[in-house]
Each structure stands twice: as C-alpha cells, then as structure tokens.
Amino acid sequence: MKVNLPPLPEQKAIAAVLGVLDDKIELNRRMNATLEAMARALFQSWFVDFDPVRAKLDGCQPPNLAPATAALFPDSFQDSELGHIPKGWKVCDLGDHLDVLETGRRPKGGVGKYTSGIPSIGAESIQRVGEYDFGKTKFIPEDFYAAMKSGRIQDYDVLLYKDGGKPGVFLPRVSMFGEGFPFEIYTINEHVFRMRSDAIGQPLLYFQLSGERLLNDLHNRGGKAAIPGINQTDVRTLRFLIPSDEVRGAFNLACQPLLTAILQNAKESRTFSTLRDTLLPKLLSGDIQPNQTP
C-alpha cells in the first residue's frame, strides 16, 4: 500500500497539536477516577465501615470531620438484619423511598434502521458515572420519543442495567449521566431502569446501588431468573440502609459537586475528542496548518 504522508517535520507538528487534545482527555479521565474514588471512599467510611460512629463509641473525635459534621452521627450501634448499624438508622425496602422506577422502550421492529433522531441508551452503555461509548449509540424517531410516557432521562438519574446480557450471566451495573453528557436530550430502552428518590438523594442512591453489597444482591437475584435479569420487584425489595436525614443531607451535599465535576469533565472530553477527529483529516490534507489551530 502506498500512503501519502506529509514531510516529517509537518507530521511532528500535527502530532503535537493532536497530542495536546489527547493529553487533556487523559487528564480528565484521571481526574474523574480520583473524584469518584474520593466520593466512594467517603461512602465506604460513613455507610459501610461506620468510621465516625466507631470513633465516637471509643470516645474520640472522628478524624477528618468538622465538629458540626461529626455531631450528626450517633455514638452507638443497634442490631439489624444487616448486622450492627448506627443507632437510629433504619433498614427498609428501597421501593418505600423511590419516586421513579421505570424503563423506556423502542419502536416495534427495533432501532437498527435509524441513523439519527433521539439517542436511546441500552444496557451495554451502563458502566459507571460519566462513562459512555459513543460508538454504541442507537436512535429512535423524534415522534416516537414525543409519544413516550416513560424513560426520558433527567440530570443525575441513577441508571441500572436491567437485563439483555448473555444467557446464564447477570452482572448488574449502575451509571449516572447529566450536565449535557452524553447528550442534552436522550432516553433509555426497555433494558435499563431509571431511578430517582428525593428522600434518599441521587448521590447516595448512586453510591448505595453501586456498592458491593447491593450489587451482589442484584447479581444473585438476576442470575436465578430463566432469562437473566431483574424486574421492578427485585429492585423495590432491596434492603436499603437509610441514615438519619442529617447524615444523608451531609453526604449528598459533599458528593454532589464531585459528581457534577465528573460529568462536566466527561462532556469536555467529548468536545476535545470530536475536535481531534475533525482536525485530523484537515491537517493531513493541508486544509489547516498546525500553526493555525487554536
């Protein structure tokens, strides 16, 4: 194969331009991993290990907590079906606290013939907060979307992989989108649950559902079905740890900015990726010179 290439100095100049965009995308990826790890570490400390309660039980000031925040936690435990939990906290069915639990749908005959319209997100795109594979995007017609009564996504919806995987295998996953990422207007199909809870708060709902205990519970429930997957009853009957209103509010207040930053970084990376893919052919063809790029 014969390939037309610019002179080597020009190749290096083009690579330098594209490399700046790649570096920014990689920096955002690392930042997002750090931000999610920070939020998940806080969740683990407060709602799994109960570090503030254990510190107060030992007569110590909880480390790394402001006194006003530490005061929100009790200084003793009580027995529950989940073992020892902080005194005054409750274990309830998740369904008792959900305002929205629904799926979307697709046109009869599927979406294979549509190459534009309203993006429709399926189970394969449910990975984690701020992650989306644009190569897997499917579409539904705008008139079909306008007639849909469920499945329209709002910012910070918690999205749960419902079914649609390989026979005999069910590995639940949880995601969250928003802030214009991955799209401004989009929907889910029938293989994804959309969830909202004002009583719990979207950040706490996301980290609880994506925590090890509930993912294992969902895995066990979904793996027993003839067709691997979960239904609304499986979700509604999940035993959910409900902290005091004050602790719930403090956690959501601390984690909401982290989730917002993750989604804004993801949107920015998508812009950089699109710019890179647009610039590459123009740089190679000579339509744009490397020193002309912003």
Side-chain angles (χ1 to χ4, degrees):
M1 295 179 62
K2 293 184 178 181
V3 180
N4 291 324
L5 290 175
L8 184 58
E10 192 171 336
Q11 291 182 45
K12 291 182 177 180
I14 291 172
V17 171
L18 301 178
V20 169
L21 296 174
D22 284 335
D23 289 345
K24 289 182 176 179
I25 293 170
E26 175 59 20
L27 176 61
N28 281 348
R29 186 196 66 79
R30 294 200 304 267
M31 288 176 59
N32 279 359
T34 299
L35 290 169
E36 185 176 1
M38 290 170 57
R40 199 164 293 282
L42 185 64
F43 170 78
Q44 179 75 24
S45 176
W46 287 16
F47 303 110
V48 179
D49 298 332
F50 309 124
D51 290 333
V53 182
R54 295 186 186 282
K56 295 180 73 171
L57 183 63
D58 292 338
C60 303
Q61 169 69 20
N64 305 317
L65 280 187
T69 303
L72 304 178
F73 290 86
D75 58 4
S76 60
F77 289 94
Q78 64 188 30
D79 289 332
S80 78
E81 63 193 81
L82 300 180
H84 291 318
I85 63 173
K87 187 175 182 179
W89 294 16
K90 300 177 181 179
V91 178
C92 305
D93 283 349
L94 174 57
D96 294 339
H97 299 276
L98 286 179
D99 301 306
V100 176
L101 176 61
E102 64 182 27
T103 63
R105 61 191 186 96
R106 292 181 292 181
K108 187 176 181 180
V111 297
K113 62 182 178 180
Y114 302 108
T115 57
S116 63
I118 303 297
S120 176
I121 291 177
E124 70 279 359
S125 296
I126 306 303
Q127 300 296 332
R128 63 195 303 166
V129 60
E131 288 192 7
Y132 182 79
D133 184 349
F134 286 88
K136 296 180 179 179
T137 302
K138 307 293 192 303
F139 298 93
I140 59 174
E142 292 186 14
D143 58 347
F144 184 86
Y145 173 80
M148 290 178 62
K149 296 181 179 179
S150 65
R152 298 187 183 194
I153 301 299
Q154 300 178 41
D155 275 4
Y156 301 101
D157 279 345
V158 173
L159 303 178
L160 175 62
Y161 165 45
K162 173 180 175 287
D163 55 38
K166 297 179 181 179
V169 177
F170 181 68
L171 299 175
R173 300 185 299 270
V174 183
S175 187
M176 175 182 279
F177 299 131
E179 300 295 326
F181 179 84
F183 308 101
E184 295 292 343
I185 300 175
Y186 53 110
T187 184
I188 52 175
N189 67 19
E190 69 275 20
H191 299 297
V192 178
F193 279 128
R194 175 177 91 89
M195 307 171 67
R196 297 193 72 85
S197 172
D198 288 339
I200 297 170
Q202 295 305 106
L204 182 54
L205 180 62
Y206 172 77
F207 286 105
Q208 281 256 42
L209 274 175
S210 58
E212 183 178 358
R213 180 179 67 84
L214 289 186
L215 283 182
N216 285 338
D217 195 346
L218 289 169
H219 168 70
N220 292 332
R221 295 179 185 219
K224 295 177 181 178
I227 300 176
I230 52 176
N231 55 36
Q232 285 209 11
T233 299
D234 291 324
V235 176
R236 291 186 179 279
T237 56
L238 285 172
R239 300 301 281 168
F240 208 83
L241 178 61
I242 305 294
S244 67
D245 291 346
E246 294 78 11
V247 171
R248 172 193 56 79
F251 179 82
N252 288 329
L253 186 64
C255 290
Q256 183 63 55
L258 303 180
L259 293 172
T260 298
I262 289 172
L263 294 168
Q264 289 175 342
N265 287 341
K267 183 179 180 180
E268 184 180 67
S269 292
R270 174 58 177 169
T271 300
F272 291 149
S273 178
T274 301
L275 178 59
R276 177 196 60 200
D277 296 344
T278 301
L279 283 176
L280 178 57
K282 294 182 180 296
L283 288 167
L284 289 175
S285 67
D287 291 344
I288 297 179
Q289 297 300 314
N291 58 6
Q292 295 177 331
T293 55

